[in-house]
Structures are given as structure tokens and as C-alpha cells.
Amino acid sequence: MSLRLAARRLGLPAATSSPYLPTSTALLPLQQQRTKWAVNIFKGWSKTGSKSADQATGDIVNANLDDPKSRKAYIAQQQQSQSPSTSDSSNIFSDEIDGQKPSDATAAQQETGQTQASESKTRANTALVTDPDPRSRIRWQRKKVIQMVRRGGHLTREERIAMTERSLTHKSDWIPTSTKKLVMLARQILGKNVEDAIAQMQWSKKKMAREVKYHLEEARDLAVAQRGMGLGAVNGEADAAKKNAKPIKIKTKDGKWLEIKDPTRMYVAESWVGKGQWLGKEIDYKGRGRMGVIKHPKASITVVLKEEKTRLRQHKELEAKKEAAGPWVHHPNRAVHGQRPYYSW
């Protein structure tokens, strides 16, 4: 049994005998060069008797253009020797070679040491993100102005609250669990601030707690990026509360007293669970030839994040309502209705 090995053949190109090529390029391989660095080899060959052509060709042959430093020096030499008026427009790679020249704006940035990443964010350079569809926004604003004019310029209570308070409603994807198991986690995070709710899910032994934790982190990031919530310390809104010797104490719906130092702190105002379609069904084989069906459910959780300004407003409204009601009277002086002189049975 013989082993066949592929034979290696080395083909050397023959020397050219063309009268149009200089003698210094006779030893160069006649292969088609597809790079922009070899184009200038053929530059100036129309003038066979000129000394500049021979000199340029000799420099290119001797230069190692595969080396980045040599290539950079060669480009700088070509840019100095050639002016824009004398550049060869017939060169198909002229655009790429010209692209190596640093622009005035780039040179100015390099001199000052400033880059585009270090520029401050303004309304102009962030308009594509903050206002991606200005036509729809203008159309929506015009519609709201028309509605307000028709109502005589009066805003509803919900509209006034939306102008001063911010909130975010975020729904998660379908989670492979049942609503009975997920509702326990939804009740656990209800009423807590976002950081405490995330800490509760981080150390919870429930399997779906990691999904709820990821959903809370996503909702928190969206609230900060889209609505600007939770930035009281950055914008200076929490300075007034910090200067006070005593933090603001309020009473929540659960009857617990809460101290608020930052009115822009986010908390989970609402959380509920939704039921989806079945992920699949499976046969449950039982004894005596019987069988059942096991259904794999899926559910989703929705959270509403709000700032502590909402709790402060609700607490003030409740206190104002109690003051307006007056003291409690055992026998109030009011008319009695629905009195009958006989039993109803």
C-alpha cells in the first residue's frame, strides 16, 4: 500500500520583455495587484524617459509596504510630493488614499485633546433618542390643545397629577410559572422602594424570584432613562428634605409609618399578575389504566413605579379630608329617613 503525496510545484514567472516597462521592474512578479499600495507602481509609466518615474518606482520596490510604519511614512511622502492640483484623477484608489489624510476637524480635536465621546449631552445631539418622531409628537400636542380648548381650558385631576408626578408601567415577558406562585412574589414587593424590592428577590428562595428581580432592574433602568425618575440627588430636588432636621413622616395604606428623606425615590406602587395561554400539555399516566392531563402554565407580572411625591400627596389629601370632616359626633343632628312602624320580617 503506497502513500500518495501531493507534488509541490514552484512556478516562477518569466521576465517581461515589454518596451513600456522600465528595467527596474523586470524582476517583479507579473501578478494582478488588488491593493491600493501597489497602484502607484504603475504611475508615471506613460513617460518612459522621465527620471521621476524611475526614482518613484525604485522607492516603491525598496519600501516594505506591509510594515505599518513604512506604509505611514510612504503615505506622508506621497502627500507632500503631490499637491491636490497635480493629483492623478485616473487613479481608482484615489478616494481611499485621500481618505488617509486627516481632516481639519480631526486635527483640531487631536490638538485640543477633545473627542466626541467627551462632549456634553445637549438637546441637539440627543434629539434622535429623546424625540425620534417629532411629527407624531406635534400632532399629539395639537390634539391635546384642541381638547383643552373645548373644555374651556380646564384640566382634569388626572392630567394635573400627570404634569407634576412621574410614573412607569412595565410588563414582563411570559414566565413559565403559575399565577398562584407568582402572586406571592408580587405581594412581597408591593409598597417597597425599588432597592428593597430587588434585595428581597435576590435573597428569596423562590425559583421565579430571579425573574422578578431582573424585571424590577429593567423597570428601574427604564424609569431613570426614559422618565428621569429617581434623580433628585442629581438635580438638587432632595436638598430641601436633607436640610430639614426631621424627615417627613407619612402613613401608608397599610397603616405603617414611613420616613421620607428623598421625595424622588422610586417605589413599587402597584404590582399584579396576568395569566397567559398554556405552554403545553402532558399526559399523566395513572393506575388502573387511567390517565390525566398536566398543563404547563405561564404568567406575567406588571409593576407600576412611582416616586415618593405621590405618597406625600396622598398623605396630605387624607389629612385634609379628615380636617374637613370635623370632629366625630355620637348623635349627629340630621334627618332620619326610612323609618317604618312595623317589622321587616
Side-chain angles (χ1 to χ4, degrees):
M1 184 174 179
S2 62
L3 180 63
R4 296 186 60 184
L5 297 175
R8 296 182 180 181
R9 297 179 181 181
L10 180 60
L12 297 176
T16 179
S17 60
S18 175
Y20 301 100
L21 295 178
T23 58
S24 59
T25 60
L27 300 178
L28 291 177
L30 292 182
Q31 297 179 359
Q32 187 178 9
Q33 301 291 339
R34 308 287 297 184
T35 60
K36 61 183 179 180
W37 315 113
V39 173
N40 290 332
I41 294 177
F42 303 96
K43 196 171 184 180
W45 282 2
S46 59
K47 302 177 182 178
T48 56
S50 61
K51 297 181 180 180
S52 60
D54 298 339
Q55 185 179 1
T57 308
D59 295 340
I60 295 170
V61 173
N62 297 330
N64 184 15
L65 296 181
D66 292 335
D67 188 9
K69 295 183 179 179
S70 301
R71 185 166 61 244
K72 185 177 181 180
Y74 172 72
I75 293 174
Q77 180 183 0
Q78 293 295 325
Q79 291 176 358
Q80 292 177 1
S81 61
Q82 297 178 3
S83 60
S85 60
T86 60
S87 61
D88 189 5
S89 60
S90 62
N91 188 359
I92 60 176
F93 298 96
S94 59
D95 297 336
E96 297 182 10
I97 296 176
D98 295 339
Q100 299 293 334
K101 300 179 181 179
S103 60
D104 298 338
T106 308
Q109 288 183 358
Q110 292 178 357
E111 292 176 0
T112 56
Q114 296 178 355
T115 57
Q116 187 177 2
S118 62
E119 293 181 356
S120 60
K121 294 183 179 180
T122 59
R123 187 182 296 269
N125 55 23
T126 59
L128 186 61
V129 179
T130 57
D131 194 5
D133 193 357
R135 289 187 176 181
S136 299
R137 177 181 56 80
I138 294 174
R139 188 163 51 248
W140 178 82
Q141 291 177 353
R142 181 175 178 273
K143 178 182 177 182
K144 292 301 179 182
V145 170
I146 292 174
Q147 292 178 358
M148 185 175 62
V149 171
R150 287 178 179 175
R151 291 197 303 261
H154 299 288
L155 298 176
T156 61
R157 182 174 179 271
E158 290 76 11
E159 291 175 349
R160 289 196 304 270
I161 292 175
M163 292 174 63
T164 56
E165 300 175 5
R166 291 167 289 195
S167 64
L168 176 75
T169 304
H170 188 51
K171 180 182 178 182
S172 67
D173 298 331
W174 295 113
I175 304 175
T177 184
S178 63
T179 56
K180 185 178 180 180
K181 298 177 181 178
L182 195 60
V183 73
M184 299 298 178
L185 300 177
R187 291 177 179 176
Q188 186 176 356
I189 64 176
L190 180 62
K192 295 182 173 62
N193 59 72
V194 178
E195 302 302 333
D196 291 349
I198 292 175
Q200 289 288 333
M201 295 296 101
Q202 182 178 0
W203 303 104
S204 177
K205 296 182 180 180
K206 299 293 183 180
K207 182 180 179 180
M208 291 298 125
R210 66 188 69 177
E211 300 291 339
V212 179
K213 174 178 175 292
Y214 174 80
H215 176 59
L216 284 173
E217 292 176 350
E218 187 179 15
R220 177 197 60 188
D221 298 342
L222 289 175
V224 174
Q226 295 181 357
R227 308 296 172 85
M229 300 170 58
L231 300 177
V234 178
N235 299 333
E237 299 179 10
D239 294 341
K242 290 181 180 179
K243 292 179 181 178
N244 296 335
K246 296 182 180 179
I248 304 175
K249 293 185 178 181
I250 62 173
K251 192 174 183 179
T252 60
K253 296 180 180 179
D254 302 337
K256 300 179 180 179
W257 288 92
L258 183 66
E259 294 183 356
I260 297 179
K261 298 180 180 179
D262 186 4
T264 61
R265 186 182 61 176
M266 291 183 292
Y267 74 99
V268 183
E270 301 178 31
S271 61
W272 65 86
V273 176
K275 184 178 181 181
Q277 298 179 354
W278 302 108
L279 286 173
K281 298 181 181 180
E282 185 181 356
I283 299 177
D284 183 19
Y285 296 98
K286 303 180 181 298
R288 299 185 180 184
R290 299 180 181 181
M291 64 179 61
V293 178
I294 299 177
K295 298 180 180 180
H296 300 281
K298 62 181 179 180
S300 66
I301 181 172
T302 306
V303 295
V304 178
L305 301 184
K306 294 184 180 181
E307 294 180 336
E308 296 292 351
K309 295 179 181 179
T310 304
R311 281 179 172 175
L312 293 174
R313 177 185 55 82
Q314 293 175 354
H315 177 71
K316 292 179 181 179
E317 290 179 353
L318 184 60
E319 295 296 330
K321 186 177 180 180
K322 290 181 179 180
E323 292 179 1
W328 179 79
V329 182
H330 186 72
H331 294 289
N333 186 12
R334 62 171 182 265
V336 178
H337 302 281
Q339 296 294 323
R340 291 178 294 179
Y342 51 86
Y343 293 103
S344 59
W345 50 271

